[in-house]
Amino acid sequence: MAKRLAMTKWYDPGLLIRTGIRAAVSTAFGHFADRREAIAAANAIQPTPADGEFDYSADDREDFWFDYLADTGDGWNPTFAMARLVAQEEVAPRGSKLKLPRGRLLVLGGDQVYPTADKDEYRIRFLEPFDWAYEPCKGAPLWTDEDRPDLYAIPGNHDWYDGLHAFFGLFCRRRVARDVDLGVSRTGKLIGGRQTRQTRSYFAIELPGKWWLWGTDSQLEGYIDQPQIDYFQHAATYWMEPGSKLILCVADPSWAYVDPKDPDKKFESFSYLERLAGSARSPAVDLRPKKWEEAEAGRWPEPGQTMGHELKLVLTGDSHHYCRYREDDRHYIVCGGGGAFLHPTHHLRDKAFKYRYPKPGSDGSEVPLQPGEDPGGHRFPRHFAIADKVSRPAGDKEAKALFPAARTSRGLSLRNLLFPILNWKFPLLLSVAYLVFNWILNFNAKTTALGSLGMALGTDDIGGALINYLGLIFVSPWAPILMGVALAGYYYFADFPTNRKARLLMGAVHSLFQALFVTLTTTLAIGLTADWWTGNFWSGVSLLLASLASGIVSAGVFGLYLLFCVILLRRHPNEGFSSIRIEGHKSFLRLKIATNGSLLVYPIGLNKVPRTRGWPWQRGGAPATPALDPHLIEGPITIAAPEAQPVTP
């Protein structure tokens, strides 16, 4: 029976605590016991790829299709909808005559499950939607062993929250035993009818037309382990044909997250990965695969010369929207619309900064060292610009390659006005905090001539009541201590991690508005029920109701703060949209390598996700499969097309 869960409620107090603990533990685990190294030791790099190992290059007699999907496994409705979409025999985007066949591969781009990774969460939030999509309503399977697609996945930060334990069991179960190895070979698992084939959390796949796809694993903090570096260096040196074109899959869009004032923190590991293939040199020892010996006779570079690999396309998720950036002829596509809550797009901007290493394919000679300049301080310009749409469907007014459109994104932000309703457990948590605070104030009042909090605030003079309220705060140290803790919380919550002054200002302003509205609410609520303070029971009821009202008002102020930051300051995109948990505006990529060697990218969008949960008593039955209405976001985007050969969309 499929348990169809709703979208993750990120402001659920219990979830916040559990996720925080798992994140802290997994971060420490990643530092002291990195499972990638153990898996690498059990799967030694082969001098040459085994026959057919991650090799799809023989499928070059006709167009080769594959799919990219990221950030799945949150709510049932969007995950099931996207699983159905990528499982269909073909996708016919609305408003076009295109019929795009299902991919031979499905590459998952990270964060396969939310909020944290474990076997149960993977089963309920990821496996079951994909299994039901493979066998609609548990009917006939969509394909047989002969035409079964393959599945590859890279981990995101949420997959790492159990140290990759569940990820390895699902996606890296396969083992390839050589003659010199102990043990036997082991096949991968079937997930949603697809065959998993990888043996590590990263992989290098050979595609037709001298294209390669690298899937990388950057752990939680962008750390690339040495065995992974060795693996990709070996692939670039010994496996990849000279002049190969590379598609790089990474866990997050470092170019969009980078702080231009301090780029190393977010950009260092990515910069290394994007330059890795291009820096490969022809080796002195010839370990070329046999299939290249005749075809490449006389064309292999001399030892020490560059292999000439080119990075052409970078794919990532983590941000749950669609956006395409460009730098020179390279495309950087963010497509995290696999099933998690929607992220905004209106806050996105071009990113320009200077970095200590040149861009891929460059030796840095275009920015020469100036006389007297310190080589250690030399910097190279990087500019990632949001691209214009290749083509726009009829009625589409958004010129930039964004989905949803910036205007739509701003409109969706207004749902934060409903923050206390959409996240009703959060005001309850705040109410408990205010109950403790008001309890302290009542105790303080009993130690003074005021007698009780109700008597202190029950005056007809609202100004006098406010003065009494503020005076009671400083009768004992506990109330100021709690206020200091709250101020520290608002300071650390402010989305200015590298600007302490701005962070302190936003934290102080947020705290000031919280204090102002909560003080007014408490004063009015207890003042209106001052007559109840004649006994312990009714005074307790008054205190409880005032605290509940303060919690609701405080949550409303919190929602207004998020709305202000998301729309005007372009800050808190994650916190401001995880609060409203939008299921719609999902997306994935369908890619085609044409027989002439060009790559075409078709970004597919789904505005509305059908509801398939049914009534509560029907949740264990077969889910409904209402029609999906996909459309082409832009494109197709043509990459590395030979100039002499036209490309047919």
Side-chain angles (χ1 to χ4, degrees):
M1 293 289 185
K3 185 178 181 181
R4 293 164 219 161
L5 299 179
M7 302 289 284
T8 301
K9 297 177 175 61
W10 292 99
Y11 287 86
D12 184 317
L15 176 63
L16 287 172
I17 295 172
R18 291 194 302 272
T19 304
I21 293 174
R22 293 291 289 272
V25 171
S26 59
T27 299
F29 179 91
H31 283 304
F32 296 106
D34 195 331
R35 286 178 60 88
R36 295 177 299 183
E37 298 182 2
I39 295 296
N43 295 274
I45 300 174
Q46 300 182 38
T48 58
D51 291 339
E53 183 72 6
F54 306 155
D55 184 358
Y56 301 87
S57 61
D59 299 341
D60 59 357
R61 292 179 295 275
E62 56 185 20
D63 295 338
F64 182 88
W65 295 83
F66 62 103
D67 297 333
Y68 177 87
L69 181 70
D71 298 279
T72 58
D74 190 349
W76 168 275
N77 288 335
T79 302
F80 182 55
M82 297 308 293
R84 289 174 54 209
L85 201 56
V86 297
Q88 291 177 356
E89 183 176 353
E90 62 182 18
V91 170
R94 167 176 32 93
S96 76
K97 298 180 180 180
L98 296 173
K99 293 185 178 181
L100 312 177
R102 181 179 59 242
R104 174 72 177 82
L105 313 174
L106 173 60
V107 179
L108 299 176
D111 287 342
Q112 276 68 244
V113 68
Y114 290 88
T116 57
D118 62 42
K119 291 182 178 180
D120 289 337
E121 292 290 339
Y122 269 112
R123 176 179 56 81
I124 296 172
R125 293 187 179 272
F126 173 75
L127 291 175
E128 288 189 352
F130 274 80
D131 286 342
W132 280 92
Y134 167 61
E135 298 180 297
C137 298
K138 290 300 177 182
L142 296 177
W143 47 77
T144 63
D145 290 340
E146 287 73 21
D147 59 356
R148 188 180 304 282
D150 291 335
L151 176 68
Y152 296 86
I154 65 171
N157 61 308
H158 288 270
D159 299 296
W160 263 96
Y161 283 168
D162 71 340
L164 280 195
H165 179 75
F167 181 93
F168 277 123
L170 281 175
F171 301 104
C172 308
R173 181 183 180 276
R174 185 181 182 217
R175 183 175 186 272
V176 180
R178 299 169 299 175
D179 295 339
V180 296
D181 293 334
L182 297 176
V184 296
S185 296
R186 182 174 60 241
T187 60
K189 294 180 71 68
L190 287 180
I191 296 178
R194 295 174 173 85
Q195 182 71 60
T196 60
R197 296 178 56 82
Q198 66 198 79
T199 57
R200 306 181 184 212
S201 57
Y202 47 90
F203 47 83
I205 300 174
E206 184 178 5
L207 303 173
K210 296 178 66 174
W211 282 93
W212 281 73
L213 186 146
W214 287 5
T216 64
D217 177 5
S218 55
Q219 208 210 48
L220 284 161
E221 299 181 343
Y223 170 63
I224 307 297
D225 57 302
Q226 188 60 48
Q228 183 174 182
I229 294 172
D230 295 341
Y231 176 87
F232 288 122
Q233 284 180 331
H234 186 89
T237 303
Y238 295 106
W239 296 354
M240 296 173 65
E241 186 177 355
S244 292
K245 300 178 287 288
L246 179 63
I247 303 168
L248 183 64
C249 295
V250 294
D252 59 64
S254 301
W255 59 91
Y257 294 166
V258 67
D259 179 1
K261 297 180 181 179
D262 182 21
D264 264 352
K265 185 175 182 180
K266 283 294 184 182
F267 201 69
E268 183 176 26
S269 293
F270 174 71
S271 174
Y272 184 83
L273 282 173
E274 67 171 351
R275 291 180 289 108
L276 191 57
S279 64
R281 301 281 174 174
S282 180
V285 179
D286 190 354
L287 294 175
R288 289 174 291 173
K290 293 181 179 180
K291 67 177 183 177
W292 293 343
E293 289 182 358
E294 295 182 2
E296 291 298 317
R299 292 172 52 195
W300 198 270
E302 294 295 325
Q305 292 183 347
T306 179
M307 295 287 287
H309 305 319
E310 295 181 273
L311 176 65
K312 291 294 186 182
L313 174 63
V314 180
L315 304 178
T316 189
D318 197 59
S319 288
H320 311 158
H321 53 227
Y322 172 84
C323 179
R324 180 169 59 90
Y325 295 80
R326 288 199 67 171
E327 185 184 48
D328 299 334
D329 65 342
R330 292 179 303 279
H331 297 256
Y332 298 77
I333 298 180
V334 184
C335 187
F341 68 88
L342 179 69
H343 272 131
T345 57
H346 64 268
H347 70 295
L348 298 175
R349 293 293 182 271
D350 297 351
K351 282 296 180 78
F353 56 96
K354 291 186 177 181
Y355 197 59
R356 54 197 174 103
Y357 296 110
K359 62 185 70 172
S362 169
D363 60 3
S365 58
E366 73 278 7
V367 186
L369 192 68
Q370 298 300 315
E373 182 182 0
D374 179 13
H378 193 52
R379 295 293 183 265
F380 302 91
R382 301 298 305 267
H383 184 207
F384 298 89
I386 299 177
D388 292 329
K389 287 184 176 178
V390 172
S391 61
R392 282 185 273 174
D396 187 354
K397 298 180 180 180
E398 177 63 67
K400 294 296 183 181
L402 300 171
F403 179 69
R407 182 178 179 180
T408 302
S409 174
R410 278 189 289 268
L412 293 172
S413 304
L414 295 174
R415 298 190 187 185
N416 273 294
L417 294 172
L418 302 176
F419 183 92
I421 299 173
L422 297 175
N423 306 277
W424 61 271
K425 289 185 179 181
F426 191 71
L428 291 181
L429 174 65
L430 296 177
S431 298
V432 173
Y434 289 123
L435 178 62
V436 173
F437 188 80
N438 291 333
W439 200 344
I440 292 173
L441 295 187
N442 185 47
F443 180 83
N444 290 348
K446 290 182 178 180
T447 63
T448 67
L450 295 174
S452 70
L453 188 60
M455 296 176 63
L457 305 182
T459 175
D460 293 334
D461 180 9
I462 185 65
L466 289 173
I467 292 174
N468 289 340
Y469 182 91
L470 295 176
L472 290 174
I473 292 175
F474 300 99
V475 171
S476 70
W478 292 110
I481 288 174
L482 290 180
M483 292 179 65
V485 171
L487 176 60
Y490 292 128
Y491 166 78
Y492 282 106
F493 181 75
D495 189 16
F496 292 89
T498 61
N499 189 331
R500 292 185 179 181
K501 292 182 180 179
R503 196 174 198 178
L504 180 60
L505 176 62
M506 287 305 300
V509 170
H510 189 186
S511 298
L512 179 62
F513 276 90
Q514 288 282 357
L516 176 63
F517 281 92
V518 169
T519 298
L520 287 172
T521 301
T522 303
T523 302
L524 291 173
I526 293 183
L528 292 172
T529 57
D531 294 340
W532 297 8
W533 288 74
T534 57
N536 290 334
F537 175 78
W538 287 109
S539 62
V541 172
S542 173
L543 203 65
L544 184 63
L545 291 177
S547 301
L548 181 60
S550 297
I552 295 173
V553 169
S554 180
V557 173
F558 194 87
L560 288 172
Y561 166 81
L562 291 177
L563 180 61
F564 173 80
C565 290
V566 168
I567 290 184
L568 297 180
L569 300 183
R570 303 189 187 98
R571 298 284 179 170
H572 288 294
N574 191 59
E575 295 81 8
F577 268 64
S578 63
S579 62
I580 52 182
R581 306 189 299 278
I582 296 172
E583 292 186 342
H585 298 93
K586 295 295 167 275
S587 57
F588 82 102
L589 304 178
R590 182 145 286 176
L591 302 97
K592 177 178 78 170
I593 298 177
T595 53
N596 66 356
S598 62
L599 174 67
L600 282 79
V601 183
Y602 299 83
I604 308 298
L606 190 65
N607 285 332
K608 294 183 179 180
V609 170
R611 298 186 62 83
T612 58
R613 293 176 61 195
W615 297 103
W617 57 83
Q618 296 175 328
R619 292 182 186 177
T625 54
L628 302 174
D629 187 27
H631 69 278
L632 198 63
I633 298 172
E634 63 163 328
I637 305 150
T638 304
I639 302 174
E643 295 182 1
Q645 300 183 44
V647 179
T648 302

